[in-house]
Amino acid sequence: KNEVEQSPQNLTAQEGEFITINCSYSVGISALHWLQQHPGGGIVSLFMLSSGKKKHGRLIATINIQEKHSSLHITASHPRDSAVYICAFGNEKLTFGTGTRLTIIP
Amino acid sequence: DGGITQSPKYLFRKEGQNVTLSCEQNLNHDAMYWYRQDPGQGLRLIYYSQIVNDFQKGDIAEGYSVSREKKESFPLTVTSAQKNPTAFYLCASSWTFYSNQPQHFGDGTRLSIL
């Protein structure tokens, strides 16, 4: 059975802090996705990666295929980063985590 | 701007009533998806379509139906057989149906029971 675990479930931090969100999955995959869900519900795809590391602005995603683990990092966090971050993985259909709710306090 | 449009944003259903959620994309994507999101749970796949005039059941298809008569449109009908329809519904699309393709999402429709 495909399973995915995210940690922490909730994270509150001060503006400017370095943020790390973790994702562990249970089976070999062809790709892992990181998504951002805004308070209104809309979802934006942040990263799709199958190896190594990707960077976009202040966001960095890494994946360790051997350990079946991925991390999403946010540098110099800002209140506008407050959202739910979701990881998803699969080989055909995606299996989604329950998300990490991030709140950045000014 | 290319994207996915879902409508309506909020929808209310009476007992015994079928309701249809609209999803339109202008990204020229072949694959489209419907997901359901409940509090504390990950997104679950209801139906997907790999190409026009084709669709497949996902993990929780009971009580739902879809059609894919046009490439850009993938409406979802929540039938009266779906006994617990209250949820947030998200439509998505991608170039092809494989997990190594990024999916583009709409803003969702929140369905409630009257």
Side-chain angles (χ1 to χ4, degrees):
Chain A
K1 181 182 174 185
N2 291 354
E3 291 183 348
V4 55
E5 285 192 12
Q6 285 189 239
S7 63
Q9 287 189 324
N10 295 283
L11 178 57
T12 299
Q14 292 290 132
E15 183 173 356
E17 285 189 39
F18 181 81
I19 303 298
T20 296
I21 298 170
N22 297 299
C23 176
S24 296
Y25 53 92
S26 58
V27 299
I29 61 170
S30 62
L32 184 131
H33 300 246
W34 281 102
L35 310 167
Q36 181 191 53
Q37 186 167 30
H38 295 288
I43 290 179
V44 173
S45 178
L46 297 174
F47 294 102
M48 185 187 68
L49 64 167
S50 54
S51 64
K53 174 179 168 178
K54 286 190 175 181
K55 184 175 189 289
H56 182 69
R58 295 180 295 105
L59 273 60
I60 303 165
T62 63
I63 189 168
N64 184 318
I65 297 294
Q66 286 74 28
E67 295 185 5
K68 297 187 175 62
H69 180 269
S70 177
S71 293
L72 176 69
H73 305 285
I74 304 175
T75 63
S77 59
H78 190 276
R80 65 174 173 265
D81 297 326
S82 298
V84 176
Y85 293 84
I86 300 169
C87 73
F89 76 96
N91 292 301
E92 287 189 334
K93 294 181 288 182
L94 290 178
T95 298
F96 293 82
T98 56
T100 294
R101 184 175 299 277
L102 175 64
T103 304
I104 303 298
I105 300 171
Chain B
D1 260 349
I4 295 184
T5 301
Q6 288 189 242
S7 62
K9 194 172 178 65
Y10 299 95
L11 188 57
F12 298 92
R13 194 190 90 168
K14 295 180 182 177
E15 293 287 340
Q17 187 181 43
N18 293 353
V19 292
T20 297
L21 285 60
S22 170
C23 177
E24 303 277 330
Q25 53 103 356
N26 60 4
L27 299 164
N28 203 32
H29 286 169
D30 280 325
M32 296 187 75
Y33 314 81
W34 274 106
Y35 294 101
R36 171 179 170 140
Q37 188 178 37
D38 294 282
Q41 296 191 39
L43 275 67
R44 292 182 290 168
L45 183 63
I46 304 172
Y47 267 97
Y48 64 96
S49 168
Q50 297 190 53
I51 199 165
V52 66
N53 292 323
D54 174 76
F55 51 83
Q56 307 292 333
K57 292 182 179 180
D59 300 318
I60 55 165
E62 186 174 347
Y64 300 97
S65 66
V66 293
S67 63
R68 185 86 187 274
E69 297 175 1
K70 297 187 294 183
K71 186 174 187 177
E72 59 269 24
S73 180
F74 191 41
L76 173 74
T77 297
V78 183
T79 74
S80 56
Q82 172 49 246
K83 296 307 178 189
N84 185 23
T86 298
F88 188 59
Y89 292 86
L90 283 152
C91 178
S93 71
S94 60
W95 284 111
T96 61
F97 172 71
Y98 286 106
S99 65
N100 61 357
Q101 296 284 319
Q103 293 188 15
H104 296 253
F105 288 82
D107 288 335
T109 293
R110 195 167 297 279
L111 176 61
S112 301
I113 296 295
L114 279 178

